[in-house]
Structures are given as structure tokens and as C-alpha cells.
């Protein structure tokens, strides 16, 4: 997996179990350098990461790019979700900036979605899939699990944020879980 985000790596490892003999993130590899993310598309970023990893390891490689799209902010932070508050910003800074930008926005206008694109590069070519999860942004964080914007995101039809849901429930509902399910289905179709 072409990711340096420990939270994403853990989720993807769970979600992709059984697809391959083993799944390994960049944390266990040396000499792999991912190019910086661009601002054009999630798919482009995911493919660039997967291709960079595939060029070094020579086995099927998966890249991920995902983001939070808030309707009241015209889709921001979007593709820049991890860098919303700056290149070196962490989850706390990104969440604080999001809440600041949404100050005074009524609850019914705080609709948002998480979007995830997974790209797999292998000798058989490239495969790109997407998953989304609709919800709303709360006025204050809730929960201690998850990462990123999880404490602020309440999925549609749920009473608990992503940061309050057990892993299995979050995996079933999340954008990354839906993208992983689409990837799994595509791989299984090509094997049949």
C-alpha cells in the first residue's frame, strides 16, 4: 500500500484481507519515496502513488487518496483535506480550521461526504475504484477512535461519528470500506 498514513494503512489492511497473500504499507519498506500529492484529482494522486510503489517493488501496489467534501465550503477541504491547515498540519489543526470555517453555518447546511479513490497498479494494468459516504459535520468533535476528520463526521442514518463507531461498523459504512469492496469485486471479476 502506497500510504504513509498509519490510520489509512490499518484500515486498508483490514479491508483488503484475503485479496492477496499479504498486505504491507510503506512503514515496512525502505527506499520508496512517494511523489507529492497534486490538486487535480483523487484518482490521479492515487495512481501516482501506486505507480511509484509498483516501480520499486514489482508486485501489485495500491494507492489511496481521499478527502472530506463540505457542501457549505464549496467542496473544501476536498483533495487538500490532509493539508487543509498547511503542509505540516496535523489532524487537530485541520479539524480546528474546519470548525472555524463552519462557524455560524446552520446544521442543515453542514452536509458533507467522504470520498476515497483506490488505484491498483499491476502487470495486468491499472484499476481505479471509488467509494463515498454521505453525512454531516458536527459543531464539536465526538469520539476517540479513527483519525483525520472522523470525530466531526456523522454518517447519514447514524447517531455515532466515525470516531465513535467500532472498526467493523465504520469499515462497512465508510468511503474507504466502500472503495475497498469495489476493488475486491473488480479483482474477483478478473480472476473468474
Amino acid at each position: 500500500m502506497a500510504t504513509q498514513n498509519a490510520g489509512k494503512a490499518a484500515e486498508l489492511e483490514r479491508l483488503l484481507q484475503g485479496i492477496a497473500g499479504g498486505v504491507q504499507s510503506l512503514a515496512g519498506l525502505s527506499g520508496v519515496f512517494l511523489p507529492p500529492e497534486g490538486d487535480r484529482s483523487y484518482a490521479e494522486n492515487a495512481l501516482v502513488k501506486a505507480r511509484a510503489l509498483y516501480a520499486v517493488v514489482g508486485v501489485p501496489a495500491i494507492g489511496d487518496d481521499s478527502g472530506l467534501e463540505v457542501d457549505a465550503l464549496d467542496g473544501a477541504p476536498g483533495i487538500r483535506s490532509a493539508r487543509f491547515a498547511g503542509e505540516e498540519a496535523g489532524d487537530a489543526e485541520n479539524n480546528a480550521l474546519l470548525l472555524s470555517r463552519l462557524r455560524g453555518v446552520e446544521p442543515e447546511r453542514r452536509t458533507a461526504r467522504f470520498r476515497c479513490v483506490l488505484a491498483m497498479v499491476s502487470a495486468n494494468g491499472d484499476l481505479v475504484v471509488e467509494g463515498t459516504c454521505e453525512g454531516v459535520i458536527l459543531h464539536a468533535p465526538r469520539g476517540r477512535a479513527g483519525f483525520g476528520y472522523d470525530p466531526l463526521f456523522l454518517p447519514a442514518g447514524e447517531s455515532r461519528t466515525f470516531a465513535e463507531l467500532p472498526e467493523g461498523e465504520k469499515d462497512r459504512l465508510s468511503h474507504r470500506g466502500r472503495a475497498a469492496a469495489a476493488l475486491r469485486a473488480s479483482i474477483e471479476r478478473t480472476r473468474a
Side-chain angles (χ1 to χ4, degrees):
M1 280 178 283
T3 184
Q4 296 173 347
N5 181 313
K8 283 184 183 183
E11 279 188 6
L12 286 168
E13 190 169 348
R14 282 192 317 273
L15 292 166
L16 298 175
Q17 273 185 336
I19 286 181
V23 178
Q24 184 176 2
S25 74
L26 287 181
L29 299 173
S30 60
V32 179
F33 301 97
L34 297 181
E37 290 186 345
D39 290 331
R40 290 178 25 169
S41 77
Y42 296 109
E44 184 177 295
N45 287 343
L47 273 167
V48 165
K49 293 175 195 178
R51 288 176 179 153
L53 181 57
Y54 181 74
V56 174
V57 299
V59 298
I62 297 171
D64 162 282
D65 196 28
S66 53
L68 176 68
E69 301 169 349
V70 181
D71 295 322
L73 301 178
D74 296 323
I79 200 166
R80 296 192 51 81
S81 291
R83 302 165 277 151
F84 190 43
E87 293 296 326
E88 302 301 318
D91 293 347
E93 293 91 353
N94 287 330
N95 282 309
L97 180 58
L98 178 62
L99 289 175
S100 170
R101 295 262 175 96
L102 288 173
R103 190 171 291 123
V105 175
E106 311 83 40
E108 62 274 6
R109 291 194 52 241
R110 296 171 78 97
T111 54
R113 76 211 39 79
F114 268 121
R115 184 177 309 279
C116 173
V117 173
L118 295 178
M120 186 175 86
V121 174
S122 71
N124 297 327
D126 300 345
L127 177 62
V128 179
V129 297
E130 181 176 301
T132 60
C133 180
E134 299 289 330
V136 296
I137 303 301
L138 300 178
H139 287 85
R142 288 190 349 216
R144 297 184 184 269
F147 59 96
Y149 299 97
D150 286 357
L152 295 174
F153 185 78
L154 184 68
E158 262 298 324
S159 60
R160 296 168 293 174
T161 67
F162 271 174
E164 295 173 306
L165 289 170
E167 287 177 351
E169 289 183 54
K170 179 187 176 192
D171 291 348
R172 184 177 47 76
L173 294 172
S174 79
H175 54 305
R176 197 164 289 110
R178 291 172 179 176
L183 181 63
R184 181 183 298 277
S186 295
I187 291 170
E188 289 171 353
R189 275 194 301 275
T190 60
R191 288 180 179 167

